[in-house]
Amino acid sequence: MSAETKVLSTSTRTNLEALKHHMKKLGFKYYKEMNGWVTFGARLMMNGKGVAPENCISINVRFMNIQADLWSFDLISKLPEAKQAILNFYEAEGITE
């Protein structure tokens, strides 16, 4: 069996770096990329499978799909700005739906 890895294009990687920088300014310190999803988290917690992000926003880099799991009021109040940063990423990627 071979593990297939998907490499992101240079432009996508550049757009992700811009999004990562903006999300860091909003208070998201944790950043993880896996299976086409990028997760920005405020902190880490232990779960049954190891370490997982807590207070996080996950976006799909191929489709317009966002998941948010925020419990901190500070981060909830920043959600409109985070949403706009994510929409800017999708627009730069040419994803409209």
Side-chain angles (χ1 to χ4, degrees), residues 20-31:
K20 180 181 174 182
H21 178 73
H22 195 92
M23 295 297 276
K24 187 175 183 179
K25 287 179 11 184
L26 292 175
F28 294 91
K29 299 170 185 69
Y30 174 79
Y31 168 81

Side-chain angles (χ1 to χ4, degrees), residues 27-97:
F28 294 91
K29 299 170 185 69
Y30 174 79
Y31 168 81
K32 181 179 180 183
E33 183 182 320
M34 188 172 75
N35 298 328
W37 285 87
V38 178
T39 299
F40 299 93
R43 58 186 168 270
L44 297 175
M45 65 174 195
M46 293 298 292
N47 66 11
K49 299 176 185 174
V51 178
E54 183 178 49
N55 281 323
C56 62
I57 295 176
S58 298
I59 70 163
N60 191 296
V61 296
R62 295 181 189 96
F63 307 101
M64 190 174 282
N65 199 345
I66 304 168
Q67 293 179 347
D69 181 20
L70 300 175
W71 295 98
S72 169
F73 186 75
D74 290 350
L75 294 177
I76 291 171
S77 67
K78 296 176 183 178
L79 196 53
E81 194 173 345
K83 176 185 170 189
Q84 188 58 53
I86 293 167
L87 290 175
N88 290 346
F89 166 80
Y90 284 133
E91 183 179 333
E93 286 294 298
I95 300 170
T96 57
E97 294 184 21

